[in-house]
Amino acid sequence: MKCRVCRGPAVIDIRRHNSNFCVDHFLKLCRDQVAKAIKQFSMLEPGDRVLVAVSGGKDSLALWDLLVELGYRADGLYVGLGIDGYSDVSGEFVRRFVEERGQTLVEVDLRADEGFDVPTAAAVTRRVPCSACGLSKRHLFDRAAREGGYDAVATGHNLDDEAAVLFGNLLKWQTDYLGRQRPMLPARDGFPRKVKPLVRLTERETAAYCVLRGIDYQVEECPMAAGNKHLGFKETLNDLEVRSPGAKHDLYFGFLDRAVDRFTSAGDGSGDVELGACAECGAPTTGEVCAFCRLAARARDAEPVALGPPRRRR
Ligand code: AMP
Ligand code: FES
Ligand code: ZN
Ligand code: ZN
């Protein structure tokens, strides 16, 4: 197996590019794909201050490293979700990255700072845990960006994530979600700009990037997300990709090219309902009190939920 660029020994094959790459040219490919996504969707300007939401997993740590390599001023944000046996370990991977690379990290801890955790919040909502978790994360990302004066929040969503979410939204024709499924959402009404610079890279590539760059990451999936639909859609798309390399890319980028505008005109949510300030926390909201403060009030009053003994790590 030879590198497409230099004919030296290749370490990875990427079937959707119909090519193999050596270490240096694979790392360059990753940087180039991120730079291309940033340019293609006007995600960032050279002087922007970026807050990278880092979970301790491969995608967000790779993203942070890539943005720094590309010359962006990028700080990290880690949110401790209070999931026993998972959150503490995830935080350790993030802190180790920060120490080794001398970066700046903002930390928020749901239990210590907000008085509740994701398992308890999930129990009071009686919905899938990821919904209370996602709501809390989005709120805390927005707040940290506002308070820190960052221009944009970057998350580590990759091509597999975005294609799977798109597939799920298409199966149910969730038109409002489809209209908002863009890799860049401009700032509006007190919400920061949101960007997903990894949309041109797959999970397999971000994992290889971390290994080759010596980035140690949390390999476990969140124990509360086990069996969720999103993971099933990813498997389905992976099966399809084996038979038809490039299928995920074509599905997602074809949608952005040819269909997303049909679901919203501006795509940034402008023109939606008027927003006021949350009476509790001041965050932009359509109601009197924002969804996060309502969830937090219920979760703080509830009996804390134990998730059971920590899972063994590989
Ligand atoms: P997930 O929703 O877990 O698939 O994560 C999607 C993205 O959200 C990750 O790539 C990170 O950028 C960000 N993220 C997830 N969990 C956390 C966390 N605990 N703290 C900070 N960012 C997170
Ligand atoms: Fe949110 Fe697991 S990380 S439910
Ligand atoms: Zn090469
Ligand atoms: Zn609020």
Side-chain angles (χ1 to χ4, degrees):
M1 208 165 81
K2 285 187 178 156
C3 171
R4 176 175 89 182
V5 187
C6 69
R7 314 305 297 163
V11 292
I12 188 165
D13 65 309
I14 303 184
R15 287 186 63 205
R16 78 178 181 295
H17 294 309
N18 202 10
S19 304
N20 309 317
F21 295 92
C22 69
V23 175
D24 288 352
H25 287 117
F26 172 69
L27 295 176
K28 179 172 185 307
L29 173 98
C30 294
R31 290 193 299 272
D32 289 350
Q33 291 295 332
V34 168
K36 185 168 177 180
I38 290 174
K39 188 153 177 242
Q40 186 177 6
F41 301 103
S42 308
M43 292 183 183
L44 302 172
E45 295 293 328
D48 278 353
R49 287 185 65 226
V50 189
L51 188 61
V52 188
V54 277
S55 62
K58 59 189 182 320
D59 303 304
S60 47
L61 289 177
L63 172 62
W64 195 359
D65 189 65
L66 280 157
L67 290 178
V68 171
E69 285 284 297
L70 289 172
Y72 289 98
R73 297 193 291 164
D75 294 343
L77 166 66
Y78 174 68
V79 178
L81 301 166
I83 301 169
D84 284 339
Y86 176 72
S87 297
D88 294 347
V89 181
S90 304
E92 282 165 26
F93 284 105
V94 174
R95 282 177 221 110
R96 196 173 314 153
F97 177 96
V98 168
E99 277 160 30
E100 284 173 7
R101 286 161 203 250
Q103 298 296 331
T104 302
L105 180 68
V106 179
E107 283 206 53
V108 180
D109 189 80
L110 262 190
R111 265 190 201 137
D113 303 332
E114 302 294 332
F116 73 98
D117 52 37
V118 161
T120 312
V124 301
T125 60
R126 299 215 198 93
R127 297 182 54 196
V128 288
C130 299
S131 99
C133 176
L135 166 72
S136 304
K137 284 191 291 202
R138 281 192 299 277
H139 180 88
L140 297 171
F141 295 172
D142 292 348
R143 187 171 76 192
R146 230 178 6 252
E147 289 178 356
Y150 290 92
D151 297 295
V153 172
T155 51
H157 295 94
N158 55 38
L159 179 59
D160 300 74
D161 295 322
E162 294 307 289
V165 170
L166 172 60
F167 187 57
N169 288 338
L170 285 173
L171 283 179
K172 299 245 179 227
W173 290 103
Q174 308 255 38
T175 51
D176 354 335
Y177 290 149
L178 287 168
R180 284 184 54 76
Q181 215 198 324
R182 294 168 188 264
M184 191 283 286
L185 294 173
R188 62 163 183 119
D189 303 330
F191 291 110
R193 189 189 330 147
K194 308 271 173 61
V195 300
K196 298 176 178 172
L198 294 185
V199 286
R200 302 187 62 89
L201 294 175
T202 63
E203 233 158 70
R204 177 170 170 264
E205 290 143 29
T206 60
Y209 181 89
C210 285
V211 171
L212 296 172
R213 290 279 296 160
I215 300 170
D216 228 357
Y217 58 85
Q218 165 72 292
V219 290
E220 297 293 335
E221 293 283 347
C222 166
M224 303 202 72
N228 80 6
K229 280 196 199 139
H230 182 77
L231 295 175
F233 294 147
K234 275 190 176 175
E235 279 174 26
T236 303
L237 291 179
N238 281 338
D239 290 346
L240 184 62
E241 185 79 21
V242 170
R243 255 166 272 157
S244 192
K248 283 178 218 171
H249 176 102
D250 291 347
L251 173 70
Y252 180 63
F253 286 92
F255 166 76
L256 292 179
D257 245 14
R258 279 173 253 151
V260 68
D261 287 342
R262 294 170 193 243
F263 298 102
T264 37
S265 46
D268 58 1
S270 60
D272 292 355
V273 269
E274 281 283 303
L275 296 182
C278 168
E280 301 276 329
C281 74
T285 175
T286 48
E288 167 97 11
V289 173
C290 77
F292 176 79
C293 288
R294 282 183 274 134
L295 173 67
R298 288 171 66 199
R300 279 182 205 122
D301 283 347
E303 194 64 29
V305 171
L307 197 67
R311 286 183 2 148
R312 287 246 315 274
R313 292 185 45 231
R314 267 181 280 207

